[in-house]
Amino acid sequence: MSFRSLCLFGVASIGLVACTQSPEWTLLYYPDSQTQPSVEQSASFISGYYATIEQCHSKGLGLIRLGGDVGGHYVCGYQCEADGQSLSCQNVISSK
């Protein structure tokens, strides 16, 4: 195997590992302060998936800022799984 082939194989392997890592955090964004169902009923409020809690908080704060509504809020759920319309998370952290 040539050096070039070995390098290409190494780069491809790293790319595959990076692509198969699943995000740990799920952003649930509620644009209206009067709307906040339980986490189990929040599957339709999923607004993204993030690798870190910091990324989740940043996106949630950005959505509130973009909405221009002080009533909007979000939660970040750790390792959430959806089963049909039901959502379960191992841990939930409310907006800062």
Side-chain angles (χ1 to χ4, degrees):
M1 183 178 273
S2 71
F3 180 72
R4 181 177 178 183
S5 298
L6 186 60
C7 288
L8 288 174
F9 177 74
V11 170
S13 297
I14 291 170
L16 288 175
V17 170
C19 293
T20 59
Q21 292 178 347
S22 62
E24 299 286 324
W25 294 93
T26 301
L27 174 65
L28 304 171
Y29 175 68
Y30 308 97
D32 180 358
S33 64
Q34 296 174 353
T35 305
Q36 185 167 0
S38 66
V39 170
E40 292 81 18
Q41 299 171 336
S42 293
S44 63
F45 292 94
I46 294 174
S47 297
Y49 305 96
Y50 302 93
T52 67
I53 186 67
E54 291 82 10
Q55 291 172 338
C56 185
H57 279 305
S58 292
K59 182 60 176 191
L61 290 170
L63 288 172
I64 290 172
R65 199 170 29 252
L66 284 173
D69 181 13
V70 294
H73 59 280
Y74 69 92
V75 297
C76 293
Y78 180 69
Q79 292 188 345
C80 298
E81 293 183 14
D83 181 19
Q85 292 299 316
S86 180
L87 184 69
S88 65
C89 302
Q90 288 188 11
N91 190 13
V92 175
I93 299 176
S94 298
S95 55
K96 293 181 176 179

